[in-house]
Amino acid sequence: MSSSSPKRREKDGARQRLAALLDLLNPLALYRARPGRPDDLPPEELIGKGVRFVNRIYMLRAIGLGVGFFCVAAAFVQNPVAWPLWVLLVFHGYLWPHLARVWALGSAIPYRAERRNLVIDAAFGGFWIAAMDGNLVPSAVIISLLSMDNIAAGGMRLFMRGLYATLAAGLSGWFLLDAHFQPQSDIATVIACLPMMMLYPLALGESTYRMSKKLAERSRQFEMVSQMDGLTHLFNRRYWESLLIEEFAVRNQQQGPGQKGAFLLLLDLDHFKRINDTHGHLVGDEVLRNFSRLLRTRLREDDLIGRYGGEEFVVILRDITPADALMLSQRIIDEARNSTTAENNLWGCTVSAGLVPFTPDMEAHFVWLQRADHAMYCAKEDGRDRLVLWDAALARKPPEARDATTMDAKKADVFGAATRPL
């Protein structure tokens, strides 16, 4: 059963790939509506989508057809044609780009309308190849540049739709115009095609570059959103823990004399529940934002600050001496105690914190975090509003003493809530 399952999946995958290939080769499958997928947007959300796409294609179409006019015109001079073809060429080269833009923007879904316009461009290309009697150089330029457009805009599916449109329009034009195959290109026709061959790829490349820059910027923004806590704009817990794992690995590799150390600082806002219960969650959110601002302004640029959850915050102090780590951490405690102005008001919250140096005896990063948690809770049990430096002899109070401390703290919270002016 288990051995046949991979084989069955492999056969199903091969079948799906074959079906996709047959769809690409089948004009009827290419031109009928694609079956809906679970991740497709509902029709009402597609309305108005693709305006930027239309404008980007409009610029490329205006440049390409404006310059491409001279390729076809040179072939018409080489092999003279009737005046209606000249009129149609002027229309296609200099009026169609603007008409196509207006048509697409006036459609309910501009993106789909512009893809339709690209197929029309491909059909025009096939017709001009027939009108030029298959003149080789301009025909090759037209096919290659139209293919570039369709591949860039819609991948293989749009490319194949355009290819079939080119073939259909080319064959129709061939019989309609009674064309005769004359592939030779004179020097004037070759020269007239050079601007198209040089300028249009540059325009397409520049457009693709600008689009890739926008996509890269959007990707960076999404990455930042995935890393940041929405309320405090500090690193969120998941991303900060990944930084802790990296820092732990670096410290294990950099052991040796002369190396500055790293410290883990875990901070918890005292009496924060009282703030939410008494003044509401909006004030609680303000306290969290103000404390986050205090951390960002008082800590160094190299320190990695995160919101660990609720009212708990974590900091990796990197490349710092023990004395500086103690001084910096204590300054956070002291400034939080005195934060009463409108810009950084913590509404009476103080901070309990545990500070732990990196030591080689820690077997994993979570041991570092457990020690910081242990030191922070010792600070809570010793009366809050203080910093505790972890050491191996540090021990928490027995459970009955913790309960007594908790009851005293609750009484103090109730008294503070009753006496604090609103």
Side-chain angles (χ1 to χ4, degrees), residues 21-201:
L21 178 61
L22 292 176
D23 280 346
L24 282 176
L25 298 176
N26 182 2
L28 297 178
L30 283 171
Y31 283 95
R32 65 170 174 251
R34 179 176 62 82
R37 296 174 182 170
D39 57 345
D40 285 346
L41 291 173
E44 59 272 13
E45 291 190 23
L46 289 173
I47 296 175
K49 294 289 185 182
V51 172
R52 284 196 297 267
F53 176 68
V54 170
N55 289 328
R56 184 170 69 250
I57 297 297
Y58 166 70
M59 293 301 299
L60 292 172
R61 182 180 284 117
I63 293 171
L65 295 183
V67 179
F69 169 87
F70 297 99
C71 292
V72 181
F76 282 0
V77 171
Q78 180 182 342
N79 300 313
V81 297
W83 66 267
L85 287 176
W86 281 99
V87 173
L88 183 60
L89 180 61
V90 171
F91 165 80
H92 187 223
Y94 298 105
L95 297 180
W96 165 245
H98 315 292
L99 178 62
R101 179 174 181 266
V102 172
W103 192 11
L105 293 178
S107 301
I109 304 175
Y111 175 76
R112 288 182 178 172
E114 190 53 53
R115 287 165 66 96
R116 173 203 62 206
N117 290 342
L118 287 168
V119 175
I120 294 174
D121 286 338
F124 264 117
F127 181 80
W128 294 130
I129 291 172
M132 294 185 297
D133 293 327
N135 200 313
L136 188 60
V137 173
S139 297
V141 170
I142 288 172
I143 290 176
S144 61
L145 297 183
L146 287 174
S147 300
M148 288 167 56
D149 275 346
N150 290 336
I151 285 284
M156 285 300 298
R157 185 177 177 86
L158 185 58
F159 165 74
M160 292 302 297
R161 290 177 66 184
L163 181 61
Y164 283 126
T166 300
L167 291 173
L171 291 173
S172 300
W174 200 274
F175 289 106
L176 181 66
L177 301 175
D178 192 23
H180 299 84
F181 187 54
Q182 301 180 63
Q184 297 82 7
S185 302
D186 61 18
I187 189 63
T189 302
V190 173
I191 292 173
C193 291
L194 291 179
M196 181 71 168
M197 289 188 286
M198 292 186 294
L199 294 178
Y200 189 75

Side-chain angles (χ1 to χ4, degrees), residues 15 24 46 68 84 99 113 130 132 134-135 157 160 173 194 196 230 259 287 311 328 351 387 397 407 411 420:
R15 247 186 249 111
L24 282 176
L46 289 173
L99 178 62
M132 294 185 297
N135 200 313
R157 185 177 177 86
M160 292 302 297
L194 291 179
M196 181 71 168
Q259 293 284 346
V287 170
E311 65 273 23
L328 190 57
V351 175
L387 173 70
K397 293 181 179 180
M407 290 299 297
K411 290 178 182 178
R420 182 181 178 87

Side-chain angles (χ1 to χ4, degrees), residues 74-370:
F76 282 0
V77 171
Q78 180 182 342
N79 300 313
V81 297
W83 66 267
L85 287 176
W86 281 99
V87 173
L88 183 60
L89 180 61
V90 171
F91 165 80
H92 187 223
Y94 298 105
L95 297 180
W96 165 245
H98 315 292
L99 178 62
R101 179 174 181 266
V102 172
W103 192 11
L105 293 178
S107 301
I109 304 175
Y111 175 76
R112 288 182 178 172
E114 190 53 53
R115 287 165 66 96
R116 173 203 62 206
N117 290 342
L118 287 168
V119 175
I120 294 174
D121 286 338
F124 264 117
F127 181 80
W128 294 130
I129 291 172
M132 294 185 297
D133 293 327
N135 200 313
L136 188 60
V137 173
S139 297
V141 170
I142 288 172
I143 290 176
S144 61
L145 297 183
L146 287 174
S147 300
M148 288 167 56
D149 275 346
N150 290 336
I151 285 284
M156 285 300 298
R157 185 177 177 86
L158 185 58
F159 165 74
M160 292 302 297
R161 290 177 66 184
L163 181 61
Y164 283 126
T166 300
L167 291 173
L171 291 173
S172 300
W174 200 274
F175 289 106
L176 181 66
L177 301 175
D178 192 23
H180 299 84
F181 187 54
Q182 301 180 63
Q184 297 82 7
S185 302
D186 61 18
I187 189 63
T189 302
V190 173
I191 292 173
C193 291
L194 291 179
M196 181 71 168
M197 289 188 286
M198 292 186 294
L199 294 178
Y200 189 75
L202 289 176
L204 181 61
E206 196 272 338
S207 176
T208 305
Y209 172 71
R210 282 191 287 109
M211 185 171 61
S212 65
K213 280 187 65 177
K214 288 181 181 178
L215 289 174
E217 181 61 29
R218 187 70 57 87
S219 177
R220 282 193 295 270
Q221 291 173 357
F222 283 136
E223 185 178 2
M224 290 296 293
V225 168
S226 70
Q227 295 171 358
M228 293 297 174
D229 174 66
L231 177 65
T232 62
H233 300 295
L234 302 176
F235 292 131
N236 60 32
R237 176 170 178 166
R238 176 179 293 182
Y239 183 68
W240 182 88
E241 283 189 343
S242 71
L243 297 177
L244 178 66
I245 293 171
E246 291 177 10
E247 186 68 22
F248 184 85
V250 168
R251 292 296 157 184
N252 271 320
Q253 295 171 359
Q254 290 182 351
Q255 298 176 29
Q259 293 284 346
K260 287 188 176 181
F263 284 75
L264 186 58
L265 177 64
L266 178 61
L267 310 107
D268 184 89
L269 289 173
D270 301 322
H271 314 297
F272 181 75
K273 185 177 184 300
R274 183 188 69 196
I275 299 296
N276 279 335
D277 293 343
T278 307
H279 303 291
H281 289 277
L282 291 179
V283 173
D285 290 347
E286 179 189 343
V287 170
L288 295 174
R289 283 192 294 265
N290 289 342
F291 185 61
S292 303
R293 188 182 306 114
L294 187 152
L295 291 176
R296 283 195 300 268
T297 54
R298 296 298 181 265
L299 293 171
R300 307 167 305 162
E301 288 187 6
D302 288 342
D303 298 328
L304 304 175
I305 315 169
R307 183 184 179 193
Y308 199 63
E311 65 273 23
E312 288 188 344
F313 297 80
V314 280
V315 185
I316 303 173
L317 302 170
R318 302 192 294 178
D319 299 323
I320 192 170
T321 64
D324 288 341
L326 275 171
M327 181 182 66
L328 190 57
S329 302
Q330 188 60 51
R331 186 170 68 181
I332 296 293
I333 308 296
D334 297 338
E335 294 204 16
R337 184 186 309 119
N338 300 320
S339 295
T340 57
T341 63
E343 293 182 356
N344 62 357
N345 193 356
L346 298 186
W347 289 72
C349 286
T350 55
V351 175
S352 299
L355 182 66
V356 186
F358 171 84
T359 53
D361 65 301
M362 293 187 291
E363 61 185 18
H365 72 282
F366 58 81
V367 176
W368 202 1
L369 197 54
Q370 287 171 347

